[in-house]
Amino acid sequence: LFSPELVLGVIRLVRGIWAQATGSATWKPQDEVEKEVEQNLSLGFVFKKTWVVFVCGALYVTYVSTTKLITDPLVWLIIVPWCLYPFSVFVMCMPVPERAKKFWIWKWVMDIKRTEKNIGS
């Protein structure tokens, strides 16, 4: 379970409803998004795109800390990833170091990507 997906799903739902209601659906191709990230990658850039999840986490921390109604320690498994989401996105968007490309998992993922590319052609 990737808890930030809960917040992201609600955001997608609201945007989808808004696009349907206003007839103003927009779509940005994946290549364009990847170029934008490569050119502008910084913690500030990532935070501008992911701040909603962070704010939801901060609000949840405030709620849990002040009301004392939720005492289950497992709730922190939901809250902490929300608060760390901008940082984890930033780290995951960084280029993969050359030494990491020697591990089996990198080679396996690249094999899968090549196979998918060949199927799509």
Side-chain angles (χ1 to χ4, degrees):
L1 178 63
F2 181 61
S3 66
E5 191 61 39
L6 182 105
V7 178
L8 297 171
V10 171
I11 292 168
R12 285 188 197 108
L13 176 70
V14 170
R15 286 182 180 161
I17 292 170
W18 182 258
Q20 287 292 323
T22 62
S24 62
T26 58
W27 177 75
K28 190 185 274 190
Q30 186 63 32
D31 288 344
E32 199 174 309
V33 172
E34 288 177 11
K35 285 178 187 172
E36 181 183 9
V37 170
E38 285 175 9
Q39 293 170 353
N40 302 314
L41 185 60
S42 69
L43 195 53
F45 174 77
V46 171
F47 196 78
K48 283 184 211 173
K49 303 289 184 181
T50 60
W51 66 271
V52 175
V53 178
F54 176 80
V55 168
C56 288
L59 290 172
Y60 206 176
V61 166
T62 304
Y63 173 75
V64 169
S65 300
T66 58
T67 63
K68 306 287 187 208
L69 295 175
I70 302 172
T71 57
D72 189 351
L74 292 177
V75 77
W76 294 101
L77 290 177
I78 294 173
I79 297 173
V80 170
W82 288 9
C83 294
L84 295 178
Y85 184 66
F87 306 104
S88 63
V89 169
F90 175 70
V91 169
M92 290 182 209
C93 286
M94 295 177 79
V96 177
E98 285 301 318
R99 68 179 188 278
K101 292 180 181 180
K102 294 178 181 150
F103 290 106
W104 68 270
I105 192 144
W106 174 265
K107 294 174 184 173
W108 180 56
V109 169
M110 291 299 109
D111 286 343
I112 292 170
K113 286 181 82 169
R114 267 191 299 280
T115 304
E116 287 178 352
K117 189 175 183 181
N118 292 338
I119 290 172
S121 322

